[in-house]
Amino acid sequence: MPTPAKGPRLGGGAAHERLMLANLSAALFEHKRITTTVTKAKRLKPYAERLVTFAKRGDLASRRRVLGLISNKGIVHELFTDIAQAVENRDGGYTRITKIGNRKGDNAPMAVIELVLEPVSAKQAVVAEATKAAAKAAPVAEEAPAEAEVAESKYAGSKPATADNAAPEGFEVKGNEDSMKFHVPGSRWYDSTIAEVWFDSAESAQAAGFAPAGGDAAQEVEAE
């Protein structure tokens, strides 16, 4: 028999060991916990956790790779749906080994290996929630200037209204988007109108689709 590459085998040849680990993994995924010897549990832990990592990827290539080791499609389906979803927020440590004493007869040390399907700790959940909230808030902060730029260029020859309703320098014609009317300085309703957009001239307001409040004549007379 060839010398094992890393430590003694579980029994038989290398192919027999691979089949044994695949069968133990299938039993673990099906029953969520199994009882075996400490040696087999320690050898099974990295093997099974690697399969869980493939399941978390969820792509077709990973599913085919696991099916090459575990032929039971029902167990593989449960691994890729239920188990992968349960450990989605975990970065590792998908299994837990608990020693339970020695076996009667040959006195072999025994252990229970089980899947860790409990939710992550409260501290980890809070950190994850804060990270998600920060990720959602970041795009909003970046989009704010873009919205301001859109408001700047909404109409040619215009500027957006400010909170204090002050006229920007060189933009004194008030525009009201609800009525689509504009008011030149000195007109009848100019002082009582709150500007929703400011224009640099009556011509710019008309080009943007705004009509003179009270008609052309009234605005032209007042403008003069």
Side-chain angles (χ1 to χ4, degrees):
M1 179 186 298
T3 304
K6 293 184 179 179
R9 296 197 178 98
L10 296 177
H16 179 261
E17 180 177 315
R18 288 194 295 268
L19 290 175
M20 185 183 299
L21 291 175
N23 291 334
L24 288 172
S25 298
L28 177 63
F29 298 145
E30 181 179 5
H31 303 290
K32 307 303 183 292
R33 57 182 294 164
I34 58 174
T35 302
T36 184
T37 62
V38 174
T39 303
K40 289 181 180 178
K42 289 182 178 180
R43 192 70 64 87
L44 174 62
K45 182 178 175 66
Y47 186 94
E49 291 191 357
R50 187 161 180 257
L51 297 183
V52 174
T53 302
F54 285 137
K56 288 180 66 176
R57 294 178 186 173
D59 56 1
L60 182 59
S62 298
R63 186 180 289 267
R64 286 176 174 171
R65 190 163 186 176
V66 175
L67 280 170
L69 302 173
I70 301 176
S71 58
N72 191 319
K73 294 183 179 179
I75 295 177
V76 174
H77 176 74
E78 183 177 1
L79 171 63
F80 274 74
T81 54
D82 300 339
I83 297 176
Q85 185 177 3
V87 299
E88 181 180 5
N89 296 325
R90 289 189 177 275
D91 297 327
Y94 308 124
T95 59
R96 179 192 299 123
I97 297 176
T98 306
K99 295 181 180 180
I100 59 174
N102 295 349
R103 181 168 57 192
K104 292 182 180 180
D106 60 358
N107 204 34
M110 302 296 292
V112 172
I113 180 169
E114 57 186 337
L115 294 173
V116 182
L117 303 178
E118 302 88 20
V120 294
S121 64
K123 183 178 180 180
Q124 289 176 319
V126 171
V127 172
E129 191 67 25
T131 304
K132 290 181 180 180
K136 291 181 180 179
V140 175
E142 295 174 358
E143 289 174 3
E147 293 178 357
E149 293 175 3
V150 172
E152 287 279 357
S153 59
K154 188 173 183 180
Y155 306 107
S158 70
K159 283 194 174 182
T162 58
D164 57 357
N165 200 36
E169 185 177 356
F171 296 78
E172 298 181 346
V173 178
K174 293 182 176 180
N176 187 289
E177 292 183 309
D178 291 335
S179 61
M180 293 301 291
K181 303 287 186 181
F182 69 86
H183 305 260
V184 298
S187 61
R188 178 178 177 182
W189 302 286
Y190 185 86
D191 294 334
S192 60
T193 299
I194 297 177
E196 295 177 346
V197 60
W198 294 89
F199 291 96
D200 57 358
S201 64
E203 290 75 15
S204 296
Q206 288 178 323
F210 287 72
D216 290 328
Q219 293 295 325
E220 290 174 359
V221 171
E222 295 295 340
E224 294 173 356

